[in-house]
Amino acid sequence: MSDQLLIASVSASVIGFILIYAFFITKSVRKVPVTAAGNSNGKPSSVTTKTVSIHGECRSVDDADVIIVGAGVAGAALAHTLGKDGRTVLVIERDLTEPDRIVGELLQPGGYLKLIELGLEDCVEDIDAQRVFGYALFKDGKNTRLSYPLEKLQVDVAGRSFHNGRFIQRMREKASSLPNVQLQQGTVSSLLEDNGTIKGVMYKTKTGELTKAYAPLTIVCDGCFSNLRSSLCNPQVDVPSCFVGLILENCQLPYENHGHVILADPSPILFYRISSTEIRCLVDVPGQKVPSLSNGDLSKYLKTFVAPQIPPELQAAFVATVDKGNIRTMPNRSMAAAPYPTPGALLMGDAFNMRHPLTGGGMTVALSDIVVLRNLLMPLHDLHDSFTLCSYLESFYTLRKPVASTINTLAGALYKVFSASPDEARQEMREACFDYLSLGGVFSNGPISLLSGLNPRPLSLVVHFFAVAIYGVGRLLLPFPSIKRMWIGARLISGASGIIFPIIKAEGIRQMFFPATVPAYYRAPPTQ
C-alpha cells in the first residue's frame, strides 16, 4: 500500500504541475465574443455529390427558415430549439413511429445540463427514466465505484437512462407542439444545389409523392447511416467493434443507479438500467462481424464465454435472456468531424461526428452542439445571405471542439485501454487504469468529471491519461526495477502515446487545445 501511495503522490504532483502550467497558459489567451472565419480545414466548399439541380417537375414547399433532415435526438432537439427562437422549421423524418434502438439510452449529467439549457428537461419525465449517479468497474473479481461529482449542482442533476425511442418521441412531441414547427414523414433523397449553394431538399412523402422543399438553411441530422453526409464532409468511418444487445428483466444490479462496466476478455461489457424493470446489457465484440445468430453460434458464445465473466448476481438473468433469443446487434462507428463548409447547409449529430458508444457521450455532444449553434444563430434575423452565413457558421466547428473532442478522445482511448490485449505493456496499462481509478479522490473525480461531460477539458484528459501511464510505470519499477520491467514501462508509455495521439490528431490539435488561435473564433455576426 505504501508503494501505491508513493506512486499516487508522484502522479498527483505531475497532474498539479501540468494544471498550474495550463492555468497560466489559458490566462494568457485573450477571450472574445463568439465569432467566425474562413475555411480552416482547406476543404472545398462546393458540393459535388448527393445533390441535384433545383429545376424539374414536382410539388414544392417554400415557407421555412430552416429544414432539418432527421428527427432523432439531435434533429428533434434542434427543431424545438430553433422553433422556440421564432424560426419556421420543417422537419423531415423517414419514420415518425417510436424508434427501437440498443444505444442512445444513457444521457450523462453534462448532457442533462444541456437539456435544461434548451428547456427540454421534461422530456425525460413520464418515460420511466432512471437516475444514474456514477459507474461501477469490475475486473478479475475486484470492483470499484466511481460517483459523479454532483455535490455543487442542483438536486435533480444526474445522468438519465431510458428507452431511446421513448425519449425521442417526447422530444418530437415537444417540438411539434410549437405552431411554427412542422414534422413530416418522408425520405430525403438528395440536397438541392444551385451554384454551390444548398437551397433545400428533395424528398418522397409518406404517400410516395416527390416533393421539393426550400429554405435558406438546411441542417442534416439523419444519423449514423446518413446518405447525405458525403456531400458535406469527408466521412472516414471506422467500425472498431459491434454491440450485442439484450434486455434483462426483473433482476438487480450490484450497484443500483450506476452504469456497470466489466473489463472482460476480449473487450468491455456494459449493464445499465433503462426502466424500473429492465436492464440493458451490451456485449462488445471486436471487429465488424459477430458470431452467427441463426446457427446458434452467438448464443453459445454468450453463454459459454461471456456469462462466466459477468457479476454472479446477473448471470442467471443473462443466460435466461439469451435462451429467449431476443438478441440484437449493431456496429459501433466512429468518425471524426471533417466538414466541407457549404453555403446553405450544416451537419449535426451522428451524421456529422461519431465516437465509440462505450462512454455514452453521443447525446451530450449533440446537445452541446445545439447550444453552440443556437447561440450563433440567435443574433441573426435573416438567413438568406448563404455565403456570409456559411463564413460566420464556420465558427461552429471551432467553438464545439473543446467539448466534443474531449468526449470523442476519451471514448476512443478508454475503449482501447479497457480492451484485453496479449501485449504485456497493454495489460499493465489496463491494470493500472483500474487501480488508478480505485484510488479515489482526484484520481477518480478527474476522469469521471470528463466522462460525465461536467468538465470536458482536453488538457485535463491528457493529464489524467498520462498520469495513469506514469502510475503503471511506477508500479513496474517498485520496489526494485529490472531490465525487463524497465522495458515494459517504456513500451507502456509508447503504447499510451500510440493510443491517444492519433485520436487527438484526427480531432485537430489546434482546435482542440488552442481554439482561440483559430481565426474563426473571432468573427462577429454579419450586420443585418
Side-chain angles (χ1 to χ4, degrees):
M1 180 59 72
S2 60
D3 289 344
Q4 279 198 334
L5 290 176
L6 176 60
I7 298 167
S9 298
V10 173
S11 300
S13 299
V14 172
I15 293 172
F17 174 79
I18 298 178
L19 289 178
I20 291 170
Y21 174 77
F23 174 79
F24 286 107
I25 288 293
T26 53
K27 281 290 185 182
S28 67
V29 178
R30 181 170 61 96
K31 300 287 184 175
V32 297
V34 172
T35 57
N39 189 342
S40 60
N41 62 8
K43 296 294 183 181
S45 60
S46 61
V47 178
T48 56
T49 61
K50 296 279 186 191
T51 58
V52 299
S53 166
I54 65 172
H55 306 293
E57 291 187 4
C58 64
R59 191 172 72 85
S60 66
V61 179
D62 188 16
D63 60 354
D65 297 318
V66 180
I67 294 172
I68 297 174
V69 181
V73 172
L78 183 62
H80 176 266
T81 300
L82 297 182
K84 194 170 64 171
D85 286 347
R87 302 191 190 278
T88 303
V89 181
L90 171 62
V91 184
I92 305 171
E93 162 60 36
R94 181 182 58 84
D95 185 357
L96 286 174
T97 60
E98 183 175 308
D100 183 15
R101 303 183 65 203
I102 65 171
V103 293
E105 297 172 321
L106 196 151
L107 179 67
Q108 298 288 358
Y112 182 74
L113 287 175
K114 296 301 177 183
L115 271 189
I116 293 174
E117 199 170 344
L118 296 170
L120 290 166
E121 67 272 21
D122 57 343
C123 291
V124 297
E125 297 174 2
D126 302 322
I127 60 171
D128 201 13
Q130 305 296 299
R131 293 193 175 200
V132 181
F133 297 116
Y135 278 85
L137 297 184
F138 293 75
K139 183 180 185 297
D140 298 333
K142 301 179 294 183
N143 67 80
T144 186
R145 184 168 60 173
L146 310 173
S147 297
Y148 294 138
L150 304 173
E151 298 81 9
K152 298 180 181 179
L153 300 173
Q154 303 170 34
V155 67
D156 65 322
V157 175
R160 295 292 194 281
S161 54
F162 40 67
H163 281 272
N164 172 268
R166 297 176 187 176
F167 179 55
I168 287 176
Q169 289 301 89
R170 289 281 285 127
M171 288 203 292
R172 288 174 178 175
E173 291 167 7
K174 184 138 187 185
S176 61
S177 69
L178 299 175
N180 49 326
V181 175
Q182 180 184 4
L183 267 68
Q184 281 194 18
Q185 184 162 307
T187 303
V188 175
S189 56
S190 59
L191 302 174
L192 300 176
E193 178 261 348
D194 185 26
N195 294 324
T197 299
I198 301 301
K199 298 293 187 179
V201 300
M202 179 177 290
Y203 68 101
K204 186 174 290 188
T205 66
K206 187 177 180 180
T207 60
E209 183 180 8
L210 195 61
T211 305
K212 292 178 180 178
Y214 298 93
L217 180 61
T218 298
I219 303 177
V220 176
C221 309
D222 57 344
C224 61
F225 300 104
S226 172
N227 68 331
L228 301 175
R229 67 160 66 100
S230 60
S231 302
L232 304 172
C233 74
N234 179 27
Q236 301 293 325
V237 179
D238 182 35
V239 184
S241 66
C242 298
F243 267 158
V244 177
L246 307 95
I247 293 181
L248 281 58
E249 296 181 334
N250 300 314
C251 57
Q252 298 297 312
L253 289 166
Y255 296 96
E256 285 296 344
N257 300 109
H258 285 70
H260 290 56
V261 182
I262 289 81
L263 275 60
D265 180 15
S267 52
I269 304 168
L270 305 180
F271 292 93
Y272 51 89
R273 192 170 285 283
I274 57 174
S275 76
S276 55
T277 61
E278 298 166 303
I279 293 172
R280 168 66 72 193
C281 171
L282 294 172
V283 179
D284 187 85
V285 179
Q288 299 184 16
K289 292 183 178 180
V290 299
S292 173
L293 178 60
S294 59
N295 67 8
D297 285 351
L298 182 56
S299 296
K300 182 180 179 182
Y301 172 81
L302 293 173
K303 289 195 290 184
T304 61
F305 189 71
V306 175
Q309 301 187 69
I310 67 176
E313 302 95 317
L314 298 170
Q315 287 182 6
F318 180 85
V319 172
T321 302
V322 173
D323 286 338
K324 289 179 182 177
N326 189 15
I327 304 170
R328 300 179 59 191
T329 64
M330 67 158 288
N332 293 324
R333 296 165 174 251
S334 62
M335 183 185 77
Y340 302 149
T342 304
L346 199 67
L347 275 171
M348 295 281 286
D350 283 351
F352 174 46
N353 184 203
M354 296 180 284
R355 78 290 310 148
H356 196 285
L358 171 68
T359 57
M363 290 188 289
T364 300
V365 171
L367 295 170
S368 176
D369 284 353
I370 291 169
V371 170
V372 172
L373 182 62
R374 178 201 64 182
N375 293 341
L376 287 171
L377 292 178
M378 199 170 287
L380 306 182
H381 303 293
D382 186 359
L383 305 178
H384 283 84
D385 188 343
S386 299
F387 286 94
T388 301
L389 180 63
C390 177
S391 177
Y392 171 57
L393 288 183
E394 285 183 30
S395 61
F396 166 75
Y397 302 121
T398 300
L399 294 168
R400 70 179 294 273
K401 267 296 178 180
V403 172
S405 60
T406 300
I407 293 173
N408 294 344
T409 304
L410 179 65
L414 265 190
Y415 176 70
K416 291 184 178 180
V417 171
F418 280 178
S419 295
S421 170
D423 182 76
E424 197 169 358
R426 285 283 296 275
Q427 292 175 18
E428 286 291 341
M429 183 72 175
R430 191 188 197 206
E431 186 72 32
C433 186
F434 181 87
D435 289 345
Y436 180 90
L437 294 171
S438 300
L439 291 171
V442 66
F443 307 104
S444 62
N445 285 343
I448 201 69
S449 293
L450 293 164
L451 180 67
S452 64
L454 295 173
N455 181 31
R457 296 183 181 178
L459 187 60
S460 180
L461 168 61
V462 174
V463 167
H464 280 287
F465 188 80
F466 280 102
V468 170
I470 294 168
Y471 178 76
V473 172
R475 284 158 32 108
L476 286 167
L477 300 184
L478 292 177
F480 301 107
S482 66
I483 297 298
K484 179 181 179 181
R485 286 172 172 267
M486 292 172 66
W487 173 241
I488 294 173
R491 286 171 48 218
L492 192 157
I493 295 293
S494 174
S497 301
I499 287 173
I500 198 167
F501 286 144
I503 303 173
I504 290 174
K505 182 180 178 182
E507 290 293 327
I509 297 173
R510 186 181 179 191
Q511 288 184 321
M512 184 172 176
F513 292 97
F514 311 106
T517 68
V518 179
Y521 193 85
Y522 296 91
R523 182 69 60 84
T527 303
Q528 295 189 340

PDB file of all heavy atoms in Angstrom, residues 1-12:
ATOM      1  N   MET A   1       0.828  -1.213   0.000  1.00  0.00           N
ATOM      2  CA  MET A   1       0.000   0.000   0.000  1.00  0.00           C
ATOM      3  C   MET A   1       0.857   1.255   0.000  1.00  0.00           C
ATOM      4  O   MET A   1       0.534   2.247  -0.638  1.00  0.00           O
ATOM      5  CB  MET A   1      -0.933  -0.009   1.210  1.00  0.00           C
ATOM      6  CG  MET A   1      -1.839   1.232   1.297  1.00  0.00           C
ATOM      7  SD  MET A   1      -2.895   1.409  -0.177  1.00  0.00           S
ATOM      8  CE  MET A   1      -4.044   0.071   0.112  1.00  0.00           C
ATOM      9  N   SER A   2       2.022   1.220   0.731  1.00  0.00           N
ATOM     10  CA  SER A   2       2.881   2.399   0.771  1.00  0.00           C
ATOM     11  C   SER A   2       3.446   2.705  -0.597  1.00  0.00           C
ATOM     12  O   SER A   2       3.611   3.870  -0.979  1.00  0.00           O
ATOM     13  CB  SER A   2       4.016   2.181   1.775  1.00  0.00           C
ATOM     14  OG  SER A   2       4.796   1.044   1.401  1.00  0.00           O
ATOM     15  N   ASP A   3       3.770   1.645  -1.384  1.00  0.00           N
ATOM     16  CA  ASP A   3       4.251   1.864  -2.752  1.00  0.00           C
ATOM     17  C   ASP A   3       3.181   2.524  -3.601  1.00  0.00           C
ATOM     18  O   ASP A   3       3.454   3.435  -4.384  1.00  0.00           O
ATOM     19  CB  ASP A   3       4.651   0.526  -3.397  1.00  0.00           C
ATOM     20  CG  ASP A   3       5.939  -0.037  -2.794  1.00  0.00           C
ATOM     21  OD1 ASP A   3       6.649   0.736  -2.123  1.00  0.00           O
ATOM     22  OD2 ASP A   3       6.199  -1.233  -2.994  1.00  0.00           O
ATOM     23  N   GLN A   4       1.918   2.066  -3.445  1.00  0.00           N
ATOM     24  CA  GLN A   4       0.824   2.665  -4.217  1.00  0.00           C
ATOM     25  C   GLN A   4       0.653   4.129  -3.864  1.00  0.00           C
ATOM     26  O   GLN A   4       0.449   4.965  -4.744  1.00  0.00           O
ATOM     27  CB  GLN A   4      -0.473   1.914  -3.946  1.00  0.00           C
ATOM     28  CG  GLN A   4      -0.624   0.642  -4.735  1.00  0.00           C
ATOM     29  CD  GLN A   4      -2.058   0.169  -4.769  1.00  0.00           C
ATOM     30  OE1 GLN A   4      -2.836   0.465  -3.874  1.00  0.00           O
ATOM     31  NE2 GLN A   4      -2.421  -0.567  -5.807  1.00  0.00           N
ATOM     32  N   LEU A   5       0.770   4.458  -2.571  1.00  0.00           N
ATOM     33  CA  LEU A   5       0.624   5.856  -2.155  1.00  0.00           C
ATOM     34  C   LEU A   5       1.753   6.701  -2.704  1.00  0.00           C
ATOM     35  O   LEU A   5       1.557   7.854  -3.102  1.00  0.00           O
ATOM     36  CB  LEU A   5       0.587   5.936  -0.628  1.00  0.00           C
ATOM     37  CG  LEU A   5      -0.669   5.370   0.041  1.00  0.00           C
ATOM     38  CD1 LEU A   5      -0.533   5.414   1.549  1.00  0.00           C
ATOM     39  CD2 LEU A   5      -1.906   6.156  -0.397  1.00  0.00           C
ATOM     40  N   LEU A   6       3.000   6.145  -2.729  1.00  0.00           N
ATOM     41  CA  LEU A   6       4.124   6.879  -3.287  1.00  0.00           C
ATOM     42  C   LEU A   6       3.909   7.163  -4.766  1.00  0.00           C
ATOM     43  O   LEU A   6       4.109   8.276  -5.253  1.00  0.00           O
ATOM     44  CB  LEU A   6       5.415   6.068  -3.083  1.00  0.00           C
ATOM     45  CG  LEU A   6       6.690   6.663  -3.718  1.00  0.00           C
ATOM     46  CD1 LEU A   6       6.976   8.041  -3.124  1.00  0.00           C
ATOM     47  CD2 LEU A   6       7.872   5.727  -3.517  1.00  0.00           C
ATOM     48  N   ILE A   7       3.489   6.136  -5.488  1.00  0.00           N
ATOM     49  CA  ILE A   7       3.242   6.309  -6.924  1.00  0.00           C
ATOM     50  C   ILE A   7       2.120   7.321  -7.143  1.00  0.00           C
ATOM     51  O   ILE A   7       2.190   8.185  -8.019  1.00  0.00           O
ATOM     52  CB  ILE A   7       2.877   4.964  -7.573  1.00  0.00           C
ATOM     53  CG1 ILE A   7       4.048   3.981  -7.422  1.00  0.00           C
ATOM     54  CG2 ILE A   7       2.558   5.143  -9.047  1.00  0.00           C
ATOM     55  CD1 ILE A   7       3.665   2.545  -7.741  1.00  0.00           C
ATOM     56  N   ALA A   8       1.062   7.212  -6.330  1.00  0.00           N
ATOM     57  CA  ALA A   8      -0.062   8.136  -6.461  1.00  0.00           C
ATOM     58  C   ALA A   8       0.389   9.562  -6.192  1.00  0.00           C
ATOM     59  O   ALA A   8      -0.050  10.508  -6.862  1.00  0.00           O
ATOM     60  CB  ALA A   8      -1.179   7.743  -5.500  1.00  0.00           C
ATOM     61  N   SER A   9       1.285   9.744  -5.214  1.00  0.00           N
ATOM     62  CA  SER A   9       1.767  11.089  -4.894  1.00  0.00           C
ATOM     63  C   SER A   9       2.547  11.664  -6.067  1.00  0.00           C
ATOM     64  O   SER A   9       2.413  12.844  -6.407  1.00  0.00           O
ATOM     65  CB  SER A   9       2.652  11.038  -3.640  1.00  0.00           C
ATOM     66  OG  SER A   9       1.922  10.595  -2.528  1.00  0.00           O
ATOM     67  N   VAL A  10       3.394  10.823  -6.686  1.00  0.00           N
ATOM     68  CA  VAL A  10       4.140  11.287  -7.863  1.00  0.00           C
ATOM     69  C   VAL A  10       3.175  11.674  -8.976  1.00  0.00           C
ATOM     70  O   VAL A  10       3.318  12.713  -9.630  1.00  0.00           O
ATOM     71  CB  VAL A  10       5.119  10.198  -8.344  1.00  0.00           C
ATOM     72  CG1 VAL A  10       5.759  10.600  -9.664  1.00  0.00           C
ATOM     73  CG2 VAL A  10       6.187   9.950  -7.285  1.00  0.00           C
ATOM     74  N   SER A  11       2.154  10.828  -9.218  1.00  0.00           N
ATOM     75  CA  SER A  11       1.165  11.128 -10.257  1.00  0.00           C
ATOM     76  C   SER A  11       0.437  12.422  -9.956  1.00  0.00           C
ATOM     77  O   SER A  11       0.201  13.242 -10.843  1.00  0.00           O
ATOM     78  CB  SER A  11       0.154   9.979 -10.378  1.00  0.00           C
ATOM     79  OG  SER A  11       0.792   8.786 -10.725  1.00  0.00           O
ATOM     80  N   ALA A  12       0.075  12.620  -8.673  1.00  0.00           N
ATOM     81  CA  ALA A  12      -0.620  13.855  -8.292  1.00  0.00           C
ATOM     82  C   ALA A  12       0.255  15.066  -8.522  1.00  0.00           C
ATOM     83  O   ALA A  12      -0.212  16.130  -8.954  1.00  0.00           O
ATOM     84  CB  ALA A  12      -1.038  13.772  -6.822  1.00  0.00           C
TER      85      ALA A  12
END
